[in-house]
Amino acid sequence: MKIAQNTVVTVNYKLSDAQNNLIEDGAQPMVYLHGGYENTLPKIEEELDGKDVGYASTIQIEPEDAFGDYDPNLLKVEERNRLPEPIEVGMQFEGVAEGGDEEPVIFTVTEVADDKVVLDGNHPLAGMALRFELSVIDVRAATEEEIAHGHVHGAHGHHHGDAPEDSEEGDHFRSQPLQ
């Protein structure tokens, strides 16, 4: 089956920067619903469209087609006492960028000092050209439910109600709203 609109694509991948420094080894394959559902970068969909199982390619995606340019306006220094304790690098908070629209931004704690905390609202890969090594390992027709929901269900996909309510699955860090 060829990759086309409303197919579920399983891809082994490695992600590196433009200098071939490994960012992510793709230990788990990427599984996404193909066809503009925003489950992967559009340039990856463009590269894989019409391809079959076994297709392999290495593509480089520039920042404007990946996670955008790094925006220094999304860097904030806050008083430590304005944030909950304990505070640690990697924690994330939702807030609004100064001078931006009221659209919420996720800020990641990048530094903690005695009385100040540095928060960065940029995606961790913003400003980077990214190199993807891609290898298609499976293509199947999407179910009606997957198409209606706009994402893959099942193995490596999204699960509805499979995790117990008190599960911390997917809760890799604590998030707090930033006032």
Side-chain angles (χ1 to χ4, degrees):
M1 169 177 271
K2 289 195 179 299
I3 297 172
Q5 178 79 31
N6 298 330
T7 57
V8 173
V9 182
T10 304
V11 181
N12 282 333
Y13 72 96
K14 283 189 180 175
L15 170 60
S16 304
D17 65 15
Q19 292 74 40
N20 263 345
N21 297 307
L22 186 65
I23 296 171
E24 189 174 324
D25 68 359
Q28 294 288 325
M30 173 177 63
V31 182
Y32 75 95
L33 179 58
H34 189 87
Y37 293 97
E38 299 181 1
N39 297 158
T40 191
L41 296 173
K43 290 290 183 182
I44 291 176
E45 282 203 352
E46 185 179 304
E47 176 67 21
L48 298 180
D49 197 57
K51 305 304 189 289
D52 293 306
V53 170
Y55 177 78
S57 178
T58 299
I59 61 171
Q60 182 163 313
I61 302 176
E62 297 304 316
E64 60 270 16
D65 293 319
F67 298 100
D69 291 321
Y70 187 87
D71 183 352
N73 293 323
L74 292 177
L75 205 58
K76 293 177 124 177
V77 178
E78 292 287 340
E79 297 293 327
R80 185 174 181 156
N81 64 9
R82 292 194 63 216
L83 301 168
E85 290 292 341
I87 187 90
E88 55 193 57
V89 171
M91 289 178 70
Q92 295 188 316
F93 300 89
E94 186 176 71
V96 177
E98 289 181 32
D101 54 20
E102 294 299 311
E103 190 70 28
V105 174
I106 301 297
F107 288 91
T108 302
V109 176
T110 57
E111 290 181 52
V112 178
D114 291 336
D115 61 342
K116 303 275 188 212
V117 175
V118 178
L119 302 168
D120 190 344
N122 287 285
H123 187 280
L125 300 177
M128 295 176 66
L130 303 173
R131 190 168 290 158
F132 287 88
E133 292 178 37
L134 305 168
S135 176
V136 179
I137 59 173
D138 191 44
V139 181
R140 67 169 173 83
T143 65
E144 288 182 25
E145 184 180 37
E146 288 170 325
I147 294 166
H149 291 177
H151 57 251
V152 176
H153 294 172
H156 305 295
H158 181 78
H159 302 273
H160 289 278
D162 291 349
E165 285 185 35
D166 59 352
S167 169
E168 292 185 22
E169 184 178 319
D171 187 19
H172 302 292
F173 41 78
R174 292 176 286 159
S175 292
Q176 300 288 331
L178 182 62
Q179 305 300 338

